[in-house]
């Protein structure tokens, strides 16, 4: 009741009274606003207190207050530093330098080895496919050994040390691999990481020209693949399939031996070719026309004509993707390699025939596009340049197919022929260009786009060859420097 006794009761009947009593009016206004603002929250009007800087005695004592840092001085830390591989736990607790070599090699393969893959639609899980292997000690040590060896060759350190075989990474990996193969668990030797270790051994042996040793490794790999049901069972791991096929095809081209995986022809292929699976993707709107004006395709072997069409269609798709900054399906790349390259390797024609020259030209083109590491570092002499040179030298009737000859001679110089071959190749190339009425590089490209030709891979080098050929022409005719 005390609170009620102190509350005044005001009865106002005249406006003059309110004007004459300002204290009363102020009292009434205050209580009205208290009622209207009941339940609302308002920011505090108190000024923030500043903490005094500690004195010298306080700073020296253990009871000093914690240091206060302004929000503006806090550096933002990114959510991730480095790649995903760098942030994972690696097997055998390998040191940072070992991890750096492996990641440096993977970066090199993405940027320098396989140029066309920039326009292939690989899902993120395919791009980070090696992340699943870094917990396998045998794989980590073998990758460290082979990555360092390959990067040494790429960077000019070609000499192979005598004690490279006793590298700690090589020794450790081979011991773990031997234990795995001799172990009681029959499934462990069939794992993807084991396949990768064997592939690395084959690549390293082939890189140093030890083709017999590399083939032995691949024969062991073929046995693993057979125990898992065949190469088709590896389709869920596209990157692994690509590495198996590339290693097998590369060894076949360099060593002159038959490939160990996949048999048959394009008409009865074990692996479906892209014209069957991707007909809705393949069109001939770019470039046009479809066929070279020579009409030489009408005289070719059926499988060879089909291989030409598949490679030309793939080239057209990559050229369009490069222009539109788009990508093509990943399986189109795998199917093209698996179907066409194995078919080309197994074909046999009379040396110097149109079929033989075409086959070797397509094989040179496809090995350059799909096995791009060949341009990154040489792996010793191969059978392909010799066969290509011999077939051209015995080729009769070349004058009937000048457009085809422009393509095959350019592809030959870009891929497999040596500098010494320019002596006879450039005059021959210039004669066929003149027969086609070529006056500029744009005229050349119109012909090349009727054939397998990928701009991002071949244009710059091809333009350079064209400039040299026509420079030589003007010099010989006495027009001076151009």
């Amino acid at each position: 009741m005390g609170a009620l006794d102190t509350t005044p009761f005001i009865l106002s009947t005249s406006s003059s009274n309110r004007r004459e009593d300002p204290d009363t009016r102020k009292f009434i206004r205050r209580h009205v606003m208290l009622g209207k603002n009941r339940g609302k929250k308002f920011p505090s009007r108190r000024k923030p207190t500043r903490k005094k800087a500690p004195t010298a005695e306080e700073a020296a004592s253990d009871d000093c207050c914690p240091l206060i840092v302004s929000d503006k001085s806090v550096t933002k830390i990114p959510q991730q530093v480095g790649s995903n591989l760098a942030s994972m736990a690696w097997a055998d607790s390998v040191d940072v330098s070992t991890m750096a070599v492996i990641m440096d090699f993977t970066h090199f393969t993405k940027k320098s080895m396989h140029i066309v893959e920039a326009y292939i639609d690989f899902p993120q899980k395919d791009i980070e496919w090696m992340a699943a292997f870094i917990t396998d000690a045998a794989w980590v040590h073998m990758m460290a050994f082979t990555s360092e060896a390959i990067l040494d060759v790429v960077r000019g350190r070609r000499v192979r040390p005598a004690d490279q075989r006793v590298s700690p990474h090589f020794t450790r990996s081979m011991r773990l691999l031997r234990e795995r193969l001799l172990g009681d668990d029959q499934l462990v030797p069939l794992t993807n990481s084991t396949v990768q270790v064997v592939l690395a051994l084959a690549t390293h042996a082939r890189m140093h020209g030890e083709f017999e040793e590399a083939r032995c490794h691949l024969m062991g790999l073929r046995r693993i693949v057979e125990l898992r049901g065949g190469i088709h069972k590896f389709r869920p791991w596209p990157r692994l399939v690509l590495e198996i096929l590339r290693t097998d095809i590369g060894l076949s081209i360099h060593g002159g031996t038959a490939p160990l995986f996949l048999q048959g022809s394009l008409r009865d292929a074990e692996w479906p070719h892209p014209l069957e699976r991707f007909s809705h993707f393949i069109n001939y709107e770019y470039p046009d026309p479809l066929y070279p004006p020579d009409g030489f395709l009408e005289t070719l072997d059926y499988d060879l004509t089909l291989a030409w069409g598949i490679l030309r269609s793939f080239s057209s798709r990559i050229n369009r993707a490069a222009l539109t900054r788009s990508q093509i399906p990943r399986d189109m790349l795998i199917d093209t390699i698996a179907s066409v390259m194995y078919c080309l390797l197994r074909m046999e024609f009379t040396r110097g025939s149109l079929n033989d020259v075409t086959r070797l030209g397509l094989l040179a083109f496809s090995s350059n596009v799909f096995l791009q590491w060949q341009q990154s570092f040489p792996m010793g002499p191969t059978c392909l340049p010799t066969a290509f040179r011999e077939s051209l030298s015995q080729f009769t009737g070349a004058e009937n197919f000048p457009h085809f000859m422009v393509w095959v001679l350019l592809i030959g110089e870009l891929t497999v022929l040596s500098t010494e071959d320019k002596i006879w190749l450039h005059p021959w190339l210039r004669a066929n260009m003149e027969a086609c009425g070529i006056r500029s590089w744009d005229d050349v490209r119109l012909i090349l786009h009727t054939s397998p030709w990928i701009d991002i891979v071949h244009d710059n080098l091809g333009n350079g060859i064209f400039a040299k050929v026509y420079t030589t022409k003007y010099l010989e005719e006495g027009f001076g420097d151009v």
Side-chain angles (χ1 to χ4, degrees):
M1 294 297 293
L4 294 175
D5 293 341
T6 59
T7 303
F9 181 80
I10 300 174
L11 178 63
S12 177
T13 58
S14 173
S15 60
S16 60
N17 292 338
R18 289 194 297 273
R19 286 194 299 270
E20 294 173 355
D21 190 0
D23 293 336
T24 300
R25 287 188 287 115
K26 184 178 180 181
F27 179 81
I28 295 172
R29 188 182 303 110
R30 178 176 176 271
H31 279 272
V32 169
M33 295 305 297
L34 285 174
K36 293 178 67 176
N37 293 331
R38 182 173 295 174
K40 297 181 180 180
K41 294 183 179 180
F42 296 92
S44 175
R45 295 183 180 180
R46 295 181 179 179
K47 295 182 179 180
T49 58
R50 295 184 179 179
K51 293 188 177 182
K52 295 181 179 180
T55 62
E57 292 78 7
E58 292 174 338
S61 67
D62 294 336
D63 299 330
C64 176
C65 61
L67 180 64
I68 300 174
V69 182
S70 171
D71 292 340
K72 296 181 180 179
S73 64
V74 178
T75 303
K76 293 184 178 180
I77 301 177
Q79 294 182 351
Q80 177 176 329
V81 179
S83 67
N84 290 336
L85 291 177
S87 60
M88 295 180 180
W90 289 58
D92 259 15
S93 301
V94 294
D95 54 21
V96 176
S97 61
T98 300
M99 295 181 348
V101 169
I102 297 175
M103 290 190 291
D104 188 18
F105 175 72
T106 58
H107 177 76
F108 167 77
T109 58
K110 291 178 182 178
K111 299 296 182 183
S112 304
M113 285 184 167
H114 310 302
I115 299 175
V116 298
E117 288 190 9
Y119 302 98
I120 306 297
D121 183 17
F122 281 103
Q124 190 64 25
K125 65 182 181 66
D126 291 349
I127 297 174
E128 300 177 353
W129 66 295
M130 285 199 304
F133 300 150
I134 65 174
T135 56
D136 187 305
W139 179 88
V140 169
H141 288 287
M142 183 54 65
M143 278 300 297
F145 171 69
T146 54
S147 298
E148 188 172 18
I150 292 175
L151 289 176
D152 282 349
V153 173
V154 171
R155 290 163 182 168
R157 298 188 290 269
R158 180 63 177 165
V159 179
R160 183 179 187 181
D163 61 344
Q164 190 170 6
R165 288 291 189 183
V166 295
S167 162
H169 292 298
F170 179 82
T171 305
R172 173 71 171 155
S173 180
M174 291 304 296
R175 183 172 66 82
L176 292 171
L177 180 61
R178 190 175 296 109
E179 293 174 355
R180 180 177 302 176
L181 295 175
L182 298 176
D184 296 331
D185 193 340
Q186 297 181 354
L187 296 180
V188 173
L190 307 181
T191 59
N192 288 348
S193 58
T194 303
V195 172
Q196 276 290 317
V197 172
V198 179
L199 280 173
L201 285 170
T203 300
H204 184 268
R206 175 170 149 253
M207 182 179 65
H208 294 286
E210 299 171 352
F211 297 118
E212 290 299 325
E213 181 180 340
R215 188 170 177 81
C216 288
H217 291 312
L218 273 187
M219 291 177 68
L221 177 60
R222 183 177 65 175
R223 180 57 179 161
I224 295 176
V225 171
E226 289 173 349
L227 290 173
R228 288 183 55 171
I231 190 66
H232 301 82
K233 297 296 182 180
F234 287 79
R235 291 207 72 138
W237 301 279
R239 289 285 187 180
L240 190 55
V241 168
L242 279 173
E243 292 306 311
I244 293 174
L245 297 180
R246 281 170 169 155
T247 304
D248 185 31
I249 294 170
L251 180 61
S252 178
I253 292 175
H254 278 81
T257 56
L260 297 177
F261 298 89
L262 296 178
Q263 312 291 327
S265 66
L266 285 172
R267 282 173 289 186
D268 186 24
E270 299 174 71
W271 198 288
H273 59 71
L275 289 180
E276 295 177 350
R277 301 187 61 208
F278 297 100
S279 58
H280 59 293
F281 274 100
I282 296 173
N283 57 70
Y284 300 103
E285 296 176 4
Y286 173 87
D288 188 50
L290 168 59
Y291 296 113
D294 296 327
F296 81 99
L297 290 178
E298 300 173 0
T299 64
L300 290 183
D301 173 82
Y302 175 83
D303 278 356
L304 200 55
T305 304
L306 189 55
W308 176 282
I310 294 172
L311 290 176
R312 186 205 170 277
S313 299
F314 181 85
S315 302
S316 177
R317 292 299 305 175
I318 291 294
N319 289 335
R320 179 184 290 273
L323 287 175
T324 60
R325 298 177 180 269
S326 58
Q327 293 180 317
I328 67 175
R330 145 193 93 189
D331 287 343
M332 188 178 290
L333 170 68
I334 300 174
D335 292 351
T336 301
I337 294 175
S339 59
V340 174
M341 294 203 72
Y342 279 92
C343 177
L344 292 173
L345 285 170
R346 294 190 177 278
M347 288 179 178
E348 292 185 5
F349 300 107
T350 303
R351 185 67 78 213
S353 64
L354 177 61
N355 283 328
D356 192 55
V357 173
T358 305
R359 181 187 80 90
L360 293 172
L362 292 177
L363 196 56
F365 167 85
S366 55
S367 64
N368 174 250
V369 171
F370 302 127
L371 312 180
Q372 193 65 32
W373 37 255
Q374 288 186 337
Q375 300 296 12
S376 299
F377 54 88
M379 292 190 179
T382 70
C383 298
L384 183 56
T386 301
F388 194 92
R389 193 179 295 109
E390 290 177 355
S391 191
L392 281 176
S393 65
Q394 300 175 28
F395 184 33
T396 58
E399 64 278 2
N400 298 323
F401 311 107
H403 295 79
F404 167 73
M405 291 304 299
V406 168
W407 173 81
V408 77
L409 292 174
L410 275 174
I411 286 295
E413 181 169 353
L414 287 174
T415 57
V416 295
L417 297 180
S418 63
T419 305
E420 290 75 14
D421 293 312
K422 294 179 182 179
I423 298 175
W424 58 266
L425 187 144
H426 281 190
W428 198 4
L429 178 59
R430 183 170 67 246
N432 282 280
M433 287 182 176
E434 291 175 349
C436 296
I438 290 173
R439 292 295 179 267
S440 66
W441 174 243
D442 289 337
D443 294 339
V444 179
R445 293 182 82 243
L446 289 176
I447 294 176
L448 296 175
H449 281 165
T450 65
S451 309
W453 182 271
I454 296 181
D455 295 342
I456 59 172
V457 178
H458 303 123
D459 255 14
N460 288 338
L461 295 175
N463 193 5
I465 294 173
F466 171 79
K468 292 178 182 178
V469 168
Y470 268 75
T471 297
T472 305
K473 172 190 174 183
Y474 282 112
L475 290 175
E476 290 176 351
E477 293 178 355
F479 287 96
D481 292 337
V482 295

